[in-house]
Amino acid sequence: MEGGITPSAGLISTVKAKTSLPVMVMIRPRGGDFCYDDDEFEAMLADIKVCHSLKVEGVVFGILLPDGSVDKARTKMLVDAAQPMLVTFHRAFDMVKDPFQALEDIIAIGGIQRILTSGCERSAYEGLDMLVQLVKRAQDRVIILPGAGITDRNVEKIVAAMGAKEVHVGAGGSKESRMEYRNPYCSMGYAVSAPEYALKVTSESKLGGMIQKF
């Protein structure tokens, strides 16, 4: 419903132990908007320290001001705290008032290698025109990483239009819970939420289908 938040140190450590791939960790203290108070910002800095201790390759974050512009001062503080890890400015970018100004602000901050964006639309496919414009304006100063709603049916068109060398995909699926007893009267989420006993996973078949497109 609200998108990803920062995973636990235990989960990060487990993932690191099971893969040789670079691990990029989301630094997001809560769901909702990307305008954070001082306590939330301190939590973000603390989570970056945890990522250092776990030898994570990169972090992913974004902070906005109330007027819909990039919070340049605090973004720079996070970038400085993250060095020498890789940094991606995430889809907070899709909520900015002026994406072209935001692009220049992020580049000017320095130390940010990628911007993850759907082109300010609900999906990368719908935002493809904006994504193409962002690539042209970026001129290789930062990678424009398309994400949101990318599937094996549209990935080729998105990659071809942008000249993208990498994409962000969820390839989401579900698997049945191992629980045998299931209480029909109680839920751990909101009244309208994902089924309690359907666990979200990455679909190997969906991901494999997209990889084959490259």
Side-chain angles (χ1 to χ4, degrees):
M1 291 285 187
E2 295 182 326
I5 59 173
T6 305
S8 70
L11 179 56
I12 298 169
S13 179
T14 299
V15 171
K16 284 286 295 175
K18 292 181 179 293
T19 182
S20 59
L21 294 171
V23 175
M24 304 289 288
V25 174
M26 172 83 81
I27 305 297
R28 188 184 181 202
R30 57 162 172 79
D33 65 36
F34 303 102
C35 186
Y36 299 116
D37 64 26
D38 290 342
D39 291 335
E40 291 164 339
F41 183 68
E42 287 300 318
M44 296 173 80
L45 287 170
D47 283 333
I48 288 174
K49 288 183 180 179
V50 170
C51 289
H52 275 298
S53 71
L54 295 173
K55 295 180 170 52
V56 165
E57 285 79 11
V59 289
V60 184
F61 53 71
I63 305 184
L64 305 181
L65 293 172
D67 65 0
S69 63
V70 173
D71 187 335
K72 293 180 286 186
R74 292 203 293 179
T75 297
K76 187 177 189 319
M77 290 173 67
L78 293 179
V79 170
D80 290 345
Q83 296 301 310
M85 291 187 287
L86 298 172
V87 175
T88 297
F89 194 97
H90 65 39
R91 288 192 64 212
F93 185 89
D94 292 323
M95 307 306 288
V96 299
K97 184 177 182 180
D98 182 342
F100 299 127
Q101 183 60 53
L103 172 67
E104 296 302 328
D105 289 342
I106 290 168
I107 291 170
I109 290 166
I112 300 174
Q113 291 78 39
R114 292 170 179 79
I115 298 174
L116 171 61
T117 173
S118 62
C120 304
E121 296 284 355
R122 289 175 296 181
S123 72
Y125 188 76
E126 293 171 280
L128 189 52
D129 288 345
M130 173 59 74
L131 288 169
V132 170
Q133 291 184 64
L134 289 169
V135 169
K136 290 178 179 178
R137 295 210 181 200
Q139 296 180 332
D140 295 323
R141 293 175 294 166
V142 69
I143 296 168
I144 303 299
L145 176 61
I150 297 180
T151 69
D152 60 351
R153 296 181 62 185
N154 60 30
V155 65
E156 287 181 290
K157 182 172 182 178
I158 292 169
V159 167
M162 294 179 61
K165 294 182 173 59
E166 50 192 88
V167 296
H168 174 79
V169 298
S174 66
K175 70 175 182 179
E176 192 72 6
S177 166
R178 294 171 56 211
M179 285 297 299
E180 296 175 2
Y181 172 74
R182 302 184 180 191
N183 184 352
Y185 306 109
C186 182
S187 172
M188 293 294 104
Y190 296 105
V192 179
S193 63
E196 197 76 15
Y197 301 103
L199 309 180
K200 293 182 179 179
V201 297
T202 297
S203 168
E204 184 176 352
S205 61
K206 289 181 181 179
L207 184 58
M210 280 184 270
I211 292 173
Q212 289 177 6
K213 301 288 186 178
F214 283 89

